[in-house]
Amino acid sequence: MLATSKPEPLSNIDRRSLLLGLTTTLVATSLAQYAEAQAQTQTAAEPLASWNEGPAKDAIRTFVRSATDPSSQTLVPPEDRIATFDQDGTLWVEHPIYTQAMFALDRVHALAPEHPEWRDRDPFRAVLTNDMTAIAKFSETDWAEIVFATHSGMSQEAFLQIVRQWLATAKHPRFNRPYAELVYQPMLEAMRYLRANGFKTYFVTGGGQDFVRAYAQKVYGVPPEQVVGSSIATKYEIRDGKPQITRLPKLFFDDDHAGKALGIDLFIGKRPYAAFGNSTGDREMLEWTGAGEGARLKMLVHHDDAQREYAYGPAGGLPDTKVGTFDQALMDEASARGWTVISMKNDWKHIFAFE
Amino acid sequence: MLATSKPEPLSNIDRRSLLLGLTTTLVATSLAQYAEAQAQTQTAAEPLASWNEGPAKDAIRTFVRSATDPSSQTLVPPEDRIATFDQDGTLWVEHPIYTQAMFALDRVHALAPEHPEWRDRDPFRAVLTNDMTAIAKFSETDWAEIVFATHSGMSQEAFLQIVRQWLATAKHPRFNRPYAELVYQPMLEAMRYLRANGFKTYFVTGGGQDFVRAYAQKVYGVPPEQVVGSSIATKYEIRDGKPQITRLPKLFFDDDHAGKALGIDLFIGKRPYAAFGNSTGDREMLEWTGAGEGARLKMLVHHDDAQREYAYGPAGGLPDTKVGTFDQALMDEASARGWTVISMKNDWKHIFAFE
């Protein structure tokens, strides 16, 4: 009835704005979307250009075909196309310590003038005197203390700003480049290839959810709502008449190991069809992904390239590292469950875009 | 280089599958998407057909125009178009008690044979003897005991199935219709109108996240990953060699009051541009939404229609209700902050689709 009644002036404007709104949505050309479109053009030409031919590249292509070919027995409905990615060691360099740990150490230095008591108190003393031997031996409690001291007390907005400013200037000690350049080019291609085939790509990281959200859209094309990670508790309060979400020095959710499967269920509520990890912290995510029916892609990045990046785990080297534990038990489980192990040395033609 | 090199047979198949994959994505016609497309056709003709002309309908149209007209000073980038909705009392009927509470009571009856000890123990005794006076006086602890007894101990999949089976047969005591039919038609139209204008519509409910995920896609067109709600703790375990996520009798996240603003930040990581609620539990969500810059829509559903639905809150009636508290203080804050109060009686031409 209403649809055929004589339109009032306001309705006319509304229809116009509705159409314009849709047009805006469709032709939107924000910088991020432009970059994504450019990347997809490259993707269509050779989606996995930085991968050498071999079992890893084959596994990705075979999976995408099985999940998206309309004639496939294992076709996945578009709304269920979920792919999850660990970050540290899977999407970017995690050695010598996690990027976020580096950030925390730098923040201790930056905040030291406000905390004279830190000078004589470990673990802060060790950080402020650059006692690398002590830092290498930090316990989880030490790290928790450093993280809470540097990651809480401010609003969420303020924290995101601090992370972005740090990332704009901080450089990796070995590569002497901004951390955002230490993203693995083959993994970026895999993410884009999956997105081009209708997959929503999610981070499922043991790292801080808000830390990663500060740059995930810009660096990886992944929006904040698709970043699942560990989080600290927050508090809602009115400050100077304005609502604020304040970060508290308390762990809220530990998105690692079993927490990754739980985090996927909590934040996404769908079982992934593809999951990428590189350490024992990703085991349950890959198990959970693999336990679903149909086409499922489970991949583990194995750091076996000391020359171009690092070699640790079964490939040897760096035995005392606390990051990215990839032990023989994980290799055995990968083999038993049919997970594909990516050899950085053999499967990746280029590791970084700058190579 | 690779893009111009002679294509191998495998690459050909890949390109084809890539294109087919994209086509599938674009023309996908799952039932839900078909329904959404149909609804959008209606939306384009008269997006808010069940709304009477007036300040509430105007507020929605004005907001959408301000947020989506390319010439608007307050144009919102497509990726930031987030709208959040409370469910109980905002999107569907919450009287005489929340639908999920009704589900819990029915589950107590269903599970009673396995729990002979419940016969003599409150709050279960009251439920099993249909002691409505006692049920009406249940404390939060009583409800927590009932919810944990009926919502935990099973896998997530099993729980979703139980909810779906219940919803397929249970009927509302007054309307004698399935609960899914007690959705407010004007609100469904508002959701679709916003989606047609590029907004992602999220639930931000005090109710159970998994309970709502069981039907949100089918009933509202909202996928699981866009349902933020209260949740109970879960546990990852291997049962009979298969990973399972098991529900535990413990609250994990309380997505109500301040929890709604925190839940938005935790799950979405973006401040909404539009938020809809109906009670004091939605206050912080509306405050948080309203504290952002630019065009922001903040709406409160006021139940003032005893004839077609219910009248409570400042409209009088049902003074002892424990659901949907809409007190004078909330009305005053709405007035002070410029939130739009929706009068069900005056603003809604139809409340339900079956009218």
Side-chain angles (χ1 to χ4, degrees):
Chain A
M1 286 278 285
L2 266 173
T4 54
S5 68
K6 198 179 163 200
E8 298 161 49
L10 193 56
S11 304
N12 273 337
I13 295 168
D14 274 357
R15 280 191 198 112
R16 190 181 126 258
S17 95
L18 174 66
L19 287 169
L20 287 173
L22 282 167
T23 311
T24 316
T25 307
L26 292 171
V27 303
T29 50
S30 75
L31 194 59
Q33 284 168 314
Y34 178 75
E36 179 78 8
Q38 285 287 91
Q40 290 196 0
T41 306
Q42 290 157 17
T43 302
E46 169 48 291
L48 302 170
S50 302
W51 294 72
N52 287 318
E53 293 301 324
K57 188 172 183 175
D58 278 350
I60 299 173
R61 290 189 293 206
T62 302
F63 164 75
V64 167
R65 194 160 47 236
S66 315
T68 63
D69 187 326
S71 70
S72 167
Q73 295 282 339
T74 53
L75 179 69
V76 179
E79 64 271 23
D80 290 336
R81 294 185 191 170
I82 304 289
T84 56
F85 295 80
D86 167 59
Q87 182 183 228
D88 295 304
T90 299
L91 294 177
W92 73 358
V93 174
E94 65 182 350
H95 261 286
I97 58 171
Y98 298 126
T99 305
Q100 190 175 358
M102 202 65 93
F103 164 76
L105 297 181
D106 280 357
R107 289 303 297 163
V108 169
H109 285 281
L111 294 169
E114 300 164 37
H115 295 274
E117 76 279 11
W118 284 355
R119 252 177 274 157
D120 308 310
R121 240 193 80 213
D122 273 323
F124 302 101
R125 184 207 57 79
V127 179
L128 294 174
T129 56
N130 294 307
D131 182 345
M132 298 313 287
T133 317
I135 293 172
K137 288 181 187 159
F138 275 175
S139 66
E140 284 201 20
T141 314
D142 291 330
W143 276 115
E145 199 172 349
I146 286 171
V147 167
F148 290 142
T150 55
H151 286 61
S152 72
M154 68 294 278
S155 72
Q156 285 286 42
E157 287 98 328
F159 180 71
L160 293 178
Q161 263 322 103
I162 292 167
V163 175
R164 285 176 188 138
Q165 281 167 6
W166 179 80
L167 269 181
T169 53
K171 290 190 175 174
H172 187 278
R174 170 174 161 190
F175 295 98
N176 197 31
R177 288 175 178 271
Y179 290 91
E181 291 185 22
L182 299 179
V183 170
Y184 306 138
Q185 181 63 19
M187 292 303 293
L188 271 188
E189 292 170 3
M191 288 186 112
R192 287 171 184 152
Y193 181 48
L194 286 164
R195 287 201 289 262
N197 281 281
F199 282 84
K200 277 171 99 167
T201 52
Y202 280 84
F203 276 84
V204 178
T205 172
Q209 181 166 286
D210 300 307
F211 182 82
V212 178
R213 280 177 173 176
Y215 56 81
Q217 176 75 61
K218 196 173 163 193
V219 176
Y220 298 97
V222 174
E225 64 270 30
Q226 286 166 224
V227 175
V228 178
S230 298
S231 49
I232 62 177
T234 53
K235 180 183 162 187
Y236 178 87
E237 57 187 345
I238 307 285
R239 288 232 184 147
D240 304 325
K242 283 202 76 172
Q244 176 177 305
I245 292 176
T246 305
R247 299 170 59 84
L248 303 177
K250 191 184 157 195
L251 183 69
F252 175 71
F253 182 64
D254 182 10
D255 192 60
D256 210 3
H257 299 279
K260 291 208 174 192
L262 303 183
I264 287 168
D265 184 64
L266 180 69
F267 282 80
I268 312 175
K270 292 172 176 170
R271 191 194 298 262
Y273 278 83
F276 299 76
N278 80 304
S279 79
T280 50
D282 303 311
R283 173 183 281 138
E284 289 83 352
M285 173 168 74
L286 268 67
E287 287 176 356
W288 181 243
T289 301
E293 305 281 314
R296 306 276 169 172
L297 181 66
K298 296 87 59 185
M299 303 197 91
L300 278 174
V301 174
H302 184 204
H303 295 258
D304 58 359
D305 193 332
Q307 204 181 337
R308 294 188 298 171
E309 204 242 13
Y310 294 95
Y312 47 106
L318 299 170
D320 287 320
T321 179
K322 282 181 183 168
V323 301
T325 307
F326 191 148
D327 55 17
Q328 192 54 46
L330 185 66
M331 190 61 101
D332 293 344
E333 180 166 353
S335 173
R337 296 190 187 268
W339 301 346
T340 303
V341 175
I342 298 164
S343 161
M344 293 182 79
K345 191 171 178 178
N346 301 321
D347 289 316
W348 289 356
K349 194 175 294 173
H350 309 285
I351 293 184
F352 304 111
F354 57 76
E355 272 177 38
Chain B
M1 286 282 282
L2 266 174
T4 54
S5 69
K6 198 179 163 198
E8 297 161 49
L10 192 58
S11 303
N12 273 337
I13 295 169
D14 275 358
R15 279 191 199 113
R16 190 181 126 256
S17 95
L18 174 65
L19 287 169
L20 287 173
L22 281 168
T23 311
T24 316
T25 307
L26 292 170
V27 303
T29 51
S30 75
L31 194 60
Q33 284 169 314
Y34 178 75
E36 180 78 7
Q38 285 287 90
Q40 290 198 359
T41 306
Q42 290 158 18
T43 302
E46 169 46 292
L48 302 171
S50 301
W51 293 72
N52 288 317
E53 292 301 325
K57 188 172 183 174
D58 278 352
I60 300 172
R61 290 189 294 206
T62 302
F63 164 74
V64 168
R65 194 161 45 239
S66 315
T68 64
D69 186 326
S71 69
S72 167
Q73 294 283 338
T74 53
L75 179 69
V76 179
E79 65 272 22
D80 289 337
R81 295 184 192 171
I82 304 288
T84 56
F85 295 81
D86 167 58
Q87 182 185 225
D88 296 304
T90 299
L91 294 177
W92 74 357
V93 174
E94 65 181 349
H95 262 285
I97 57 173
Y98 297 126
T99 305
Q100 191 175 357
M102 202 65 92
F103 164 76
L105 297 182
D106 280 358
R107 290 302 297 162
V108 169
H109 285 281
L111 294 170
E114 300 164 36
H115 294 276
E117 76 281 9
W118 284 356
R119 252 177 272 157
D120 309 310
R121 238 194 81 215
D122 274 325
F124 301 100
R125 185 207 57 77
V127 179
L128 294 174
T129 56
N130 295 307
D131 183 345
M132 299 312 288
T133 317
I135 292 172
K137 287 179 187 159
F138 275 175
S139 66
E140 283 201 19
T141 314
D142 292 329
W143 277 115
E145 200 172 347
I146 286 171
V147 166
F148 290 142
T150 55
H151 286 60
S152 72
M154 71 292 279
S155 72
Q156 285 286 41
E157 287 98 328
F159 179 72
L160 294 178
Q161 263 322 105
I162 293 167
V163 175
R164 284 177 189 139
Q165 280 166 5
W166 180 81
L167 269 182
T169 53
K171 290 188 175 177
H172 187 277
R174 169 175 161 190
F175 295 100
N176 196 33
R177 287 175 178 273
Y179 290 92
E181 292 185 20
L182 300 179
V183 170
Y184 306 138
Q185 182 61 21
M187 291 303 293
L188 271 187
E189 291 170 6
M191 287 185 113
R192 287 171 184 153
Y193 181 48
L194 286 164
R195 287 201 290 261
N197 281 281
F199 281 84
K200 277 173 99 167
T201 53
Y202 280 82
F203 276 84
V204 178
T205 173
Q209 181 166 287
D210 301 306
F211 183 81
V212 178
R213 281 178 173 176
Y215 56 80
Q217 176 75 63
K218 198 174 163 191
V219 176
Y220 297 97
V222 174
E225 65 269 30
Q226 284 165 227
V227 175
V228 177
S230 298
S231 50
I232 62 177
T234 53
K235 180 183 160 186
Y236 178 87
E237 57 188 344
I238 307 285
R239 287 231 185 150
D240 303 326
K242 283 202 74 171
Q244 176 178 304
I245 292 176
T246 305
R247 297 169 61 83
L248 303 177
K250 191 183 158 198
L251 182 70
F252 175 71
F253 182 63
D254 182 10
D255 191 61
D256 210 3
H257 299 279
K260 290 208 174 192
L262 303 184
I264 287 167
D265 184 64
L266 180 68
F267 283 79
I268 312 175
K270 292 172 177 171
R271 192 194 299 260
Y273 278 83
F276 299 77
N278 80 304
S279 80
T280 50
D282 304 310
R283 173 182 282 138
E284 289 84 353
M285 172 169 73
L286 268 68
E287 286 175 357
W288 182 243
T289 301
E293 304 282 314
R296 305 277 170 171
L297 181 65
K298 297 86 59 185
M299 302 197 91
L300 278 174
V301 174
H302 183 204
H303 296 258
D304 57 0
D305 194 332
Q307 204 181 338
R308 294 188 298 173
E309 204 243 13
Y310 294 95
Y312 47 105
L318 299 171
D320 287 321
T321 181
K322 283 180 182 168
V323 300
T325 307
F326 190 146
D327 55 17
Q328 191 55 46
L330 186 65
M331 190 61 101
D332 293 345
E333 180 165 354
S335 173
R337 294 189 187 270
W339 301 346
T340 304
V341 176
I342 298 165
S343 160
M344 292 181 81
K345 191 172 178 177
N346 301 321
D347 289 316
W348 288 357
K349 194 176 294 172
H350 310 286
I351 292 184
F352 304 112
F354 58 78
E355 273 177 35

